[in-house]
Amino acid sequence: MTATGAVEGARLGTTLMHEHVFINLLREYRGTGLIQDLPLMRSELDRYREAGGVTLVDVTSAELTWGASPDPGGVYSARPPASAEHTRAPDNVAALHELSVATGVRIVLGTGHYRDPYLAYEDFDRKSVDAISELLVRDLVEGFAGTRIRAGLIGEVGSDQWFISAREERNLRASARASRRTNAVISTHAARWPVGRRQLDLLLEEGVSPGRVIIGHCDTVNIPEYHLDLARSGCYVQFDTIRPGAEFALNTRVSHIVSLIRAGFIDSILLSHDVCGRDHLHAYGGGGFDYISRHFAKRLAQAGVDAGELDHILIENPRRALSGEAG
């Protein structure tokens, strides 16, 4: 399910599984955390399409979409009003639809709530797990409030630190229940610490199949045993902060990916950039949405990853995850 409607899985092509097009992260990144310029993002997505990109998954959670759309009227809010019934700002959904039509890039929209401290508002505290889940199911089955555009997955949802807070637990359980009802894949935020294992265990406890879980930001956790444990458990292991920078960081990511391939877990690997700040865009000196296709792929090739293996990771694995075939 994309912003412009349902498509056959075989037509998804090269797919980035964890990106942000319009986003409001001003709460944490005052200098670079707001992306709301439609012509700018059209240029960035045009570069991705020219590099062979076909589909992009926008996992911008509810709290990150408000004030993150073209012409927001100057109101920059890091979270929706307490009475909000929306899991994405309607103007954010409309802008992504417009951008997809203009560029030809398929955009899959995520639904859900982010992580602490973004979850700390009264509306979330007062809703039950099942009530939170109902809104996610609505987005996946009927469409985002105020639109007819449907979500294509749940995420990103997750944990701020090395543990799962009480609010985050309720959020993950709500996501799990929505996934069970719709078969939507869940994409998590698990940065810096190996908290993805705890997230997976909680989701499995709720009855979610491991093949419907993507543990995100695994490349920010430099523990190969952690990656291997997740892969053995049957979930997706996502290396999604692949950007230009220090040689050590890039070489480490290559090593992690190659190790999982050679261990027999190529079916578990997903790749992306997690573009989420202006400094990640070409216009501001970053690698944009085409860095993997134009540059990182060459590093993988030099490390022995052949073209067929790379296509499997960038085309086949996303197709299986988004179509519901896996799990």
Side-chain angles (χ1 to χ4, degrees), residues 5 8 23 26 51-52 64-65 76 124 136 139 147-148 157 160 188 208 265 269 280 292 309:
E8 295 180 1
I23 187 170
L26 288 177
L64 306 182
T65 68
Y76 304 144
F124 189 90
L136 307 186
D139 294 347
T147 82
R148 296 182 179 180
V157 299
D160 181 45
T188 80
V208 178
F265 293 105
I269 303 170
H280 298 156
I292 291 173
E309 291 172 323

Side-chain angles (χ1 to χ4, degrees), residues 70-230:
D71 190 26
V75 180
Y76 304 144
S77 172
R79 59 177 185 253
S83 61
E85 287 296 316
H86 300 92
T87 41
R88 265 188 188 253
D91 56 354
N92 179 273
V93 176
L96 289 169
H97 176 271
E98 180 180 349
L99 198 58
S100 180
V101 172
T103 64
V105 174
R106 303 188 194 282
I107 301 177
V108 179
L109 279 67
T111 181
H113 298 277
Y114 191 30
R115 56 166 172 82
D116 276 336
Y118 293 86
L119 302 180
Y121 59 96
E122 289 184 6
D123 190 55
F124 189 90
D125 284 345
R126 292 175 179 175
K127 280 188 169 70
S128 68
V129 170
D130 286 337
I132 298 167
S133 180
E134 282 294 333
L135 292 180
L136 307 186
V137 172
R138 178 205 64 192
D139 294 347
L140 291 157
V141 175
E142 301 174 10
F144 293 98
T147 82
R148 296 182 179 180
I149 297 171
R150 292 164 56 187
L153 80 162
I154 300 167
E156 66 182 302
V157 299
S159 310
D160 181 45
Q161 300 188 51
W162 61 91
F163 56 89
I164 299 174
S165 73
R167 287 193 184 96
E168 289 168 349
E169 177 180 347
R170 295 175 65 241
N171 190 33
L172 286 163
R173 291 192 186 280
S175 299
R177 295 176 194 183
S179 174
R180 287 192 62 192
R181 289 178 58 183
T182 63
N183 200 36
V185 70
I186 301 171
S187 183
T188 80
H189 175 101
R192 299 180 298 281
W193 296 282
V195 68
R197 179 70 246 188
R198 297 181 180 88
Q199 294 175 348
L200 178 61
D201 289 344
L202 188 155
L203 296 172
L204 296 181
E205 179 186 314
E206 284 281 339
V208 178
S209 167
R212 307 312 299 139
V213 179
I214 301 168
I215 300 299
H217 308 320
C218 288
D219 48 335
T220 69
V221 184
N222 191 14
I223 306 175
E225 295 80 8
Y226 168 64
H227 307 149
L228 191 58
D229 174 55
L230 291 174

